Amino acid sequence: LRTEERQRLARERREEREKQHAAKETQILEKERKAKLQYEKQLEERQRKLKEQKQKEEQRRAAVEEKRKQKIEEEKERYEAVMHRTLERNQRLETRQKRWSWGGSVTPDSESKTASKRSTSTANLKQAETVMNKRLSSSAALLNASERTRRSQLSPLDSSVISRLLAPTQASLARSKSAAALSAD
């Protein structure tokens, strides 16, 4: 009876130890499973954050690139506008110079007109030239008379500058002659 009792008690203790051992095993396995899940979650979270950061960086780079392209486009437009204005200004200057040149403006209609005017105006030009020379010499005489009184009050340097400014230039004489020739026609 005692041996049976001892065996039963030993069996119960063994079973109890096995149960405890099994419970500990399950606890350890549960802890490992939870730790593994937590690690996977952390890994996924880290990968998600890295992906978001990469997307933000790409968006920022794209925005910077777009801004750079826009700036280049604006610079190009500004440059083209400046070039356009410069070309317009040059064309206006050329047309002004052609207007004041002896040939007149150079347009298809005006070329034939100026050719016919030239033939008739050469005779009139000599008459207009003598009239203009008389006008210029009389106005110069008047200016010289009033100038002399003023020059006596001015310094030699000032009087030489004023006389140079008052003397008609070749360009102004040419303009006067062409205007007189055109008005005579």
Side-chain angles (χ1 to χ4, degrees), residues 58-76 78:
E58 285 175 8
Q59 286 174 348
R60 190 188 64 78
R61 264 194 230 125
V64 166
E65 183 66 23
E66 185 64 30
K67 217 174 197 178
R68 189 182 66 80
K69 283 181 182 176
Q70 232 174 8
K71 206 171 188 179
I72 288 172
E73 190 64 31
E74 287 172 3
E75 288 292 322
K76 186 179 175 184
R78 214 175 288 131

Side-chain angles (χ1 to χ4, degrees), residues 8 13 17 29 32 116 125 134 151 162 171 181 183 185:
R8 188 179 57 81
R13 277 192 297 249
R17 266 195 310 248
L29 287 173
E32 284 178 358
S116 63
L125 185 61
K134 286 178 186 175
R151 280 189 191 164
I162 289 173
S183 65
D185 286 345

Side-chain angles (χ1 to χ4, degrees), residues 1-11:
L1 202 81
R2 268 190 160 177
T3 48
E4 282 180 23
E5 189 72 26
R6 278 186 198 158
Q7 285 177 351
R8 188 179 57 81
L9 285 174
R11 201 178 320 128

Side-chain angles (χ1 to χ4, degrees), residues 7-183:
Q7 285 177 351
R8 188 179 57 81
L9 285 174
R11 201 178 320 128
E12 284 177 4
R13 277 192 297 249
R14 213 176 332 162
E15 286 174 2
E16 189 66 30
R17 266 195 310 248
E18 285 176 1
K19 280 181 188 177
Q20 284 176 356
H21 187 68
K24 279 183 184 178
E25 278 286 322
T26 55
Q27 279 179 349
I28 290 170
L29 287 173
E30 186 66 24
K31 278 183 184 178
E32 284 178 358
R33 189 182 64 80
K34 283 181 180 178
K36 191 177 179 181
L37 282 174
Q38 190 174 1
Y39 175 76
E40 285 174 357
K41 269 186 185 178
Q42 286 175 350
L43 195 65
E44 284 174 9
E45 185 69 20
R46 203 174 297 144
Q47 285 176 346
R48 186 183 60 79
K49 282 182 180 177
L50 283 172
K51 198 174 184 179
E52 284 176 4
Q53 191 175 2
K54 196 175 182 181
Q55 283 177 344
K56 283 180 185 177
E57 187 67 26
E58 285 175 8
Q59 286 174 348
R60 190 188 64 78
R61 264 194 230 125
V64 166
E65 183 66 23
E66 185 64 30
K67 217 174 197 178
R68 189 182 66 80
K69 283 181 182 176
Q70 232 174 8
K71 206 171 188 179
I72 288 172
E73 190 64 31
E74 287 172 3
E75 288 292 322
K76 186 179 175 184
E77 287 173 6
R78 214 175 288 131
Y79 175 75
E80 287 174 356
V82 165
M83 289 301 293
H84 184 71
R85 282 195 303 268
T86 305
L87 286 173
E88 282 180 352
R89 199 176 303 127
N90 286 344
Q91 286 174 347
R92 274 184 271 158
L93 285 172
E94 284 175 15
T95 54
R96 279 187 202 149
Q97 288 173 353
K98 286 176 185 175
R99 270 190 232 143
W100 289 109
S101 69
W102 284 101
S105 64
V106 183
T107 59
D109 295 337
S110 67
E111 282 183 23
S112 60
K113 288 178 186 175
T114 54
S116 63
K117 281 182 185 177
R118 279 188 204 134
S119 60
T120 56
S121 67
T122 51
N124 295 332
L125 185 61
K126 290 182 181 177
Q127 291 173 349
E129 194 173 317
T130 56
V131 170
M132 286 304 293
N133 282 337
K134 286 178 186 175
R135 285 184 189 166
L136 285 172
S137 62
S138 64
S139 64
L142 287 172
L143 280 173
N144 285 337
S146 63
E147 234 176 86
R148 283 187 201 120
T149 57
R150 269 192 246 132
R151 280 189 191 164
S152 63
Q153 299 167 355
L154 296 173
S155 71
L157 179 65
D158 291 340
S159 63
S160 68
V161 169
I162 289 173
S163 65
R164 281 188 66 205
L165 288 172
L166 290 174
T169 61
Q170 288 181 351
S172 66
L173 289 172
R175 281 196 298 272
S176 302
K177 287 176 185 177
S178 64
L182 289 174
S183 65

